[in-house]
Amino acid sequence: MRKVVALVPIMLSACATAPAETPVRGAIPGKICNAAGTDRFIGQPGNVETGTEIMRATNAAVLRWAPPGYMMTMDFSASRVTVRLGPDYKVTAINCG
């Protein structure tokens, strides 16, 4: 009987599935922001059209506008793109998180 009990964990391990991918903190599955190549948006107006294009270019699920003097939380979200605006409400910087 002890031999059978000793074999149970080995037999069950054969049924285990492959380990899941390590989740990225604050990420929506399939939507991880990547701000590389977004310099082309610098100087453009901070409007819906620009925001939509930035989200498409970065693969972000969430867009956060940061106008001058706007206080933001420090929490990290891998699926979010933050677009900083100058006093003229034109894009000055784009970063993920």
Side-chain angles (χ1 to χ4, degrees):
M1 183 69 170
R2 285 186 179 180
K3 291 180 183 178
V4 172
V5 172
L7 289 176
V8 170
I10 294 170
M11 293 186 317
L12 288 176
S13 68
C15 297
T17 59
E21 291 182 19
T22 304
V24 176
R25 186 174 62 113
I28 294 172
K31 290 290 188 176
I32 304 232
C33 179
N34 179 357
T38 57
D39 291 344
R40 62 189 164 123
F41 297 108
I42 304 298
Q44 291 191 15
N47 58 28
V48 174
E49 292 82 15
T50 303
T52 301
E53 287 298 315
I54 290 170
M55 286 185 70
R56 187 176 297 126
T58 60
N59 192 42
V62 178
L63 173 86
R64 175 169 63 171
W65 293 106
Y70 183 74
M71 304 265 309
M72 293 185 293
T73 61
M74 296 297 291
D75 64 319
F76 179 82
S77 174
S79 297
R80 179 175 60 208
V81 62
T82 300
V83 181
R84 297 183 187 276
L85 303 172
D88 56 358
Y89 284 83
K90 292 194 177 184
V91 176
T92 60
I94 300 169
N95 62 318
C96 295

